[in-house]
Amino acid sequence: MSMIRVEQLSKSFQYYKKEQGLKHSLKNLLFRKTLIKEAVSGISFEIEPGEMLGFLGPNGSGKTTTLKMLSGILYPTSGTATVNGFVPWERKKEFKMQFSIVMGQKSQLWWDLPASESLYLNKCIYELDEKPYRQVLDELTEMLDVKELLNVQVRRLSLGERMKMELIASLIHRPKVIFLDEPTIGLDLISQKRIREFLKHYNEQTGATVILTSHYMADIEDLCKRAIIINEGRTVYDGDLRRINELFNAKKIIKLQFTDEVQREALLGFGEIRKHDGASAVLEVDKRELQRYSKLILERLPILDFTIEDIPVEQGIESLYQKEEVRHESLA
């Protein structure tokens, strides 16, 4: 049985157009032009228990709106959804006790109080017994290495430390479903990596189902095997993350280091030149021409080092954004 099932889920918002000036303000009192914004338009998918899913899309694509509907914050305009057998927007107590949502740009911690006070408040909200609460708190603070910071005012913590406390506050009741909306936004690379490692370990240990949105592709690549990509509220792709580039004639990146300076003109004909500074170059070549180009490069250029890499996932996703048709791909 699927942990999350979404069928033709849609959400639209009404808003009004107003031109600048007093004249138009007075006109709006008598007549206002109503416009409709389709934030989410008929998306459908299923997520199995314990799965970690990457939920991707550009700004304004409908990711956060979808998560808000699945967590019961927003009512949909149409469509159905169930999360762990519950209809989210019915907001039953049993449902609210089994999920959590972490939004990287919003805090649930009291700014002027130590994090321990906010965590204890969550303990009371979720009606946790003292012993299980202490056990989970000790485990999470040790995994995230913040035990010594529990009694420090939240406003005195670094951004990375606050984000770790946010995760602890959201996981203190051991939820079965976790919605993570850009949990690493604004963090440095080391903090991002530590939080990814924690999430991976937590998922393996508890079997929690996770939906993760992020603009950092390292988050998605490290944690998720499957990705759903939406654009303008519609599903663009649903399938194996590694197949994104394959769907659109994937290319390869060749990175070159030279023993002697090489002019840009000498690289013409070996593919698209992405970068060149004389001592090194980065080329983009068609996958079908990779063997032929590689042989010619090694024969004709003074090569010190030669590496071949896949096109970054971000570029594959960018191609998907530009497609008009909706594509569905099953998991490999």
Side-chain angles (χ1 to χ4, degrees):
M1 179 180 176
S2 299
M3 179 62 75
I4 299 175
R5 182 189 296 269
V6 175
E7 296 181 3
Q8 295 299 311
L9 195 64
S10 299
K11 180 64 178 178
S12 60
F13 296 95
Q14 287 188 355
Y15 64 102
Y16 303 99
K17 184 177 180 180
K18 177 187 175 298
E19 297 181 34
Q20 187 177 5
L22 178 61
K23 176 182 176 181
H24 294 294
S25 296
L26 295 173
K27 180 181 177 181
N28 278 359
L29 293 175
L30 302 174
F31 174 78
R32 290 190 297 181
K33 184 177 180 180
T34 303
L35 302 175
I36 303 294
K37 167 63 177 178
E38 288 282 348
V40 178
S41 183
I43 63 172
S44 300
F45 58 85
E46 294 185 18
I47 303 176
E48 299 303 315
E51 186 175 357
M52 295 190 76
L53 174 82
F55 198 51
L56 307 176
N59 290 328
S61 62
K63 304 186 302 296
T64 300
T65 300
T66 300
L67 294 190
K68 286 182 176 179
M69 287 190 286
L70 293 180
S71 59
I73 298 173
L74 292 177
Y75 284 78
T77 303
S78 62
T80 62
T82 57
V83 178
N84 196 23
F86 296 95
V87 177
W89 42 90
E90 291 180 353
R91 299 177 182 173
K92 293 182 178 180
K93 180 180 178 180
E94 295 85 350
F95 166 69
K96 291 187 284 185
M97 301 287 276
Q98 296 180 28
F99 88 95
S100 68
I101 182 167
V102 179
M103 307 185 79
Q105 301 185 60
K106 293 185 179 180
S107 177
Q108 61 180 311
L109 304 176
W110 291 82
W111 191 248
D112 292 313
L113 295 177
S116 58
E117 298 289 342
S118 296
L119 296 175
Y120 191 81
L121 175 62
N122 277 16
K123 179 255 186 193
C124 298
I125 291 173
Y126 289 107
E127 302 174 359
L128 303 176
D129 293 332
E130 185 68 20
K131 186 176 180 180
Y133 164 71
R134 289 295 172 187
Q135 182 179 352
V136 174
L137 180 61
D138 289 343
E139 182 182 343
L140 294 178
T141 52
E142 185 174 343
M143 289 170 64
L144 286 169
D145 194 25
V146 291
K147 186 172 289 188
E148 302 300 320
L149 301 174
L150 281 173
N151 294 318
V152 177
Q153 286 177 297
V154 171
R155 62 186 175 88
R156 297 187 182 278
L157 299 175
S158 69
L159 179 58
E161 292 166 346
R162 289 202 303 272
M163 197 63 241
K164 291 178 181 179
M165 294 298 185
E166 292 283 352
L167 286 171
I168 293 172
S170 298
L171 302 177
I172 200 70
H173 60 295
R174 291 288 191 184
K176 295 181 180 179
V177 179
I178 307 169
F179 303 116
L180 301 174
D181 190 15
E182 300 192 41
T184 59
I185 189 169
L187 302 185
D188 60 77
L189 294 176
I190 295 176
S191 296
Q192 290 176 26
K193 183 179 179 181
R194 288 176 178 170
I195 286 180
R196 288 197 300 269
E197 290 172 348
F198 166 74
L199 291 172
K200 184 183 294 185
H201 178 72
Y202 185 85
N203 171 256
E204 293 172 351
Q205 185 181 56
T206 65
T209 304
V210 180
I211 296 183
L212 169 66
T213 79
S214 179
H215 285 295
Y216 300 120
M217 286 310 303
D219 293 347
I220 306 298
E221 290 177 312
D222 282 359
L223 297 173
C224 307
K225 294 181 180 179
R226 176 187 170 199
I228 292 178
I229 303 172
I230 64 173
N231 191 29
E232 296 182 353
R234 293 180 172 83
T235 304
V236 178
Y237 176 86
D238 181 354
D240 193 325
L241 187 65
R242 295 170 299 179
R243 297 190 61 203
I244 291 174
N245 287 318
E246 295 177 12
L247 294 175
F248 297 98
N249 299 321
K251 297 185 178 182
K252 291 285 187 177
I253 296 295
I254 300 178
K255 293 185 176 181
L256 305 172
Q257 293 283 338
F258 306 121
T259 56
D260 301 308
E261 184 172 350
V262 173
Q263 299 299 316
R264 185 181 182 90
E265 291 74 18
L267 300 174
L268 298 176
F270 292 125
E272 180 183 344
I273 303 173
R274 281 191 167 195
K275 182 181 177 182
H276 172 259
D277 61 8
S280 64
V282 178
L283 306 176
E284 179 181 314
V285 303
D286 191 289
K287 190 175 182 179
R288 294 167 294 185
E289 300 291 336
L290 179 62
Q291 185 174 358
R292 183 171 69 89
Y293 283 147
S294 299
K295 183 179 179 181
L296 292 174
I297 288 171
L298 292 171
E299 289 176 351
R300 300 180 183 180
L301 300 176
I303 300 298
L304 174 65
D305 193 17
F306 181 105
T307 59
I308 300 173
E309 299 177 1
D310 290 328
I311 289 284
V313 174
E314 295 97 323
Q315 185 170 327
I317 291 174
E318 184 179 351
S319 298
L320 286 162
Y321 290 162
Q322 298 169 356
K323 294 291 177 178
E324 295 181 359
E325 70 272 18
V326 176
R327 292 176 177 265
H328 297 275
E329 293 290 330
S330 59
L331 286 172

